Amino acid sequence: AGDGSANAVNYRTYEDRGIAVLYGSSQYMGALVRCRMNRDGSVDAASTTWLDLYNGGQKLNNNKSEWTFYPSLALNQADQTRFAVGGYSLFVGRDDPARLVKSPETLRIDVTRIVDKSAVTKIENLGFNSIAYGAKDRPDAILAGIGDMEYGAKTQKEIDEGSYYGQLWYSDDVNKADPVRLTAFDTAAIGTDGETKQPGNAVQTLVFDGKNGSSYFYVSDGTSIWRGTRNDKASLAEAYDFDRISAGLPANFIARRAVEYVSHNGVNALLAGGLHMTTTDTTVNPIYYTLDPAANNGAVWRPLGKLLPNAPVFNLHYSDIDDVLLTSTLGRGLFALYDFTSYFPEAASLTFGAA
């Protein structure tokens, strides 16, 4: 762990044994480590294994020419032994959590470079800071966004002066073809309402549609939330159209960084995490949701509960195994909401104590 850590949890491989596999690093993908956590929350210290990433015979850890200060790490949703890591380039690899080595030895993992940093043109390469790996209909699909993890929302002047623009890269099957840049996500313009009218600002977080798979995905640029919709164009680079679906969010709900999709127990909802600009609206959490945004276009957003501090929400993560929503905030900690779907009237069944 460090100021720029990348983290992930494999909760599927040993699900039947109640064991989670934890990954963490320091900045620049240094000190990458893996360990196991038992059902009771205890850590199996003997499982601690330090990991070295290699590409083409070159060790990548702590290589500042390859990594931004804040690297990204995402596990494949279908097979969580597979992973993607993002820096100035984008890589994929596989880790067998059954392989253990004791310090000071390290375990070498060879990764494949699927987007080279030299391919990132037209913008300042701020690094692949957000990755979605595996969609419901395409388990080998990957969507990765370039953006600056150090800001929540900037003025258009700051964006223009600092070239804080973003790009999206996508592949239907990363085992068969490397990702291509989605060209419709290349321009940025500001409207009088303060919301971007076209996509293109630095990507903060992104997620595939949990109900419809890769037919739709959702992207936050810190100000707007965009829906990518698959069209029938032959060129993959032009295969998605984009429209803004965040107009229904309150004006005082700003720094809209985090998005997550929940598709479980009859609930299909897109979540957006941000920050309340004033104290008058902090009676509700800095998280909103909209039901089935593929069909309903994000027309109605509702606040999600109460009691969380009014702190910037940086990440949201939902586990369908335990029906738990995790909320990561800046400076105010990590929060868990258990039996999450039971709070929705759309829930097919009410289950309490699943975690």
Side-chain angles (χ1 to χ4, degrees):
D3 291 337
S5 61
N7 304 281
V9 179
N10 175 347
Y11 51 86
R12 297 196 185 278
T13 300
Y14 298 131
E15 175 188 354
D16 58 338
R17 295 159 56 184
I19 294 174
V21 181
L22 313 183
Y23 294 87
S25 79
S26 61
Q27 56 267 21
Y28 304 111
M29 201 57 78
L32 181 60
V33 65
R34 180 223 307 145
C35 67
R36 298 177 187 173
M37 177 175 285
N38 299 311
R39 191 189 303 273
D40 62 4
S42 62
V43 175
D44 179 3
S47 70
T48 301
T49 299
W50 299 92
L51 309 175
D52 285 339
L53 303 182
Y54 278 80
N55 174 257
Q58 178 188 25
K59 182 179 176 181
L60 299 177
N61 306 63
N62 276 319
N63 185 337
K64 294 183 180 180
S65 68
E66 293 287 357
W67 305 108
T68 57
F69 189 84
Y70 299 99
S72 57
L73 169 63
L75 305 183
N76 181 278
Q77 290 304 296
D79 177 1
Q80 293 188 337
T81 66
R82 297 164 57 198
F83 64 89
V85 285
Y88 295 116
S89 299
L90 185 64
F91 305 86
V92 292
R94 189 180 195 114
D95 174 44
D96 179 1
R99 296 175 62 196
L100 306 177
V101 299
K102 292 185 178 180
S103 180
E105 292 185 28
T106 60
L107 180 63
R108 172 171 172 161
I109 299 177
D110 288 289
V111 296
T112 302
R113 192 187 304 261
I114 56 172
V115 177
D116 186 76
K117 55 189 174 183
S118 64
V120 179
T121 60
K122 300 180 180 293
I123 64 168
E124 179 74 17
N125 188 346
L126 303 170
F128 287 94
N129 75 331
S130 188
I131 306 169
Y133 191 12
K136 180 179 180 180
D137 59 332
R138 291 187 169 101
D140 299 307
I142 195 166
L143 175 69
I146 294 176
D148 181 1
M149 285 292 288
E150 297 184 58
Y151 83 96
K154 291 183 179 292
T155 66
Q156 192 64 32
K157 180 180 179 181
E158 290 171 327
I159 290 170
D160 293 336
E161 290 178 346
S163 296
Y164 290 108
Y165 300 116
Q167 290 181 350
L168 290 175
W169 292 70
Y170 174 79
S171 171
D172 279 334
D173 186 339
V174 75
N175 298 316
K176 297 179 179 179
D178 289 343
V180 299
R181 178 169 56 87
L182 299 180
T183 54
F185 198 84
D186 279 356
T187 57
I190 197 73
T192 56
D193 61 353
E195 291 240 22
T196 49
K197 293 300 185 185
Q198 299 176 48
N201 287 353
V203 175
Q204 298 301 292
T205 56
L206 46 78
V207 65
F208 283 117
D209 189 299
K211 176 183 177 182
N212 301 285
S214 62
S215 296
Y216 301 91
F217 58 75
Y218 307 95
V219 181
S220 168
D221 66 11
T223 301
S224 297
I225 296 172
W226 297 92
R227 177 178 59 184
T229 302
R230 190 69 176 248
N231 57 42
D232 58 1
K233 294 181 180 177
S235 170
L236 188 60
E238 301 175 342
Y240 284 89
D241 300 319
F242 294 90
D243 63 313
R244 178 167 61 94
I245 62 169
S246 51
L249 285 167
N252 285 338
F253 179 62
I254 62 171
R256 303 160 181 175
R257 296 178 53 98
V259 290
E260 174 64 308
Y261 199 103
V262 175
S263 183
H264 182 65
N265 190 27
V267 176
N268 289 283
L270 176 68
L271 312 181
L275 174 72
H276 294 299
M277 187 167 62
T278 67
T279 58
T280 58
D281 47 14
T282 55
T283 55
V284 296
N285 289 335
I287 303 173
Y288 285 76
Y289 72 92
T290 185
L291 295 174
D292 199 353
N296 299 323
N297 306 313
V300 177
W301 290 84
R302 297 181 175 90
L304 181 67
K306 302 179 179 181
L307 301 180
L308 284 179
N310 184 32
V313 175
F314 268 42
N315 284 288
L316 295 166
H317 179 75
Y318 175 75
S319 168
D320 57 357
I321 291 177
D322 300 320
D323 197 18
V324 173
L325 177 70
L326 296 178
T327 301
S328 172
T329 67
L330 176 63
R332 296 298 297 274
L334 181 68
F335 298 85
L337 180 57
Y338 296 96
D339 307 312
F340 180 72
T341 57
S342 294
Y343 290 89
F344 289 78
E346 293 79 11
S349 62
L350 300 180
T351 303
F352 300 98

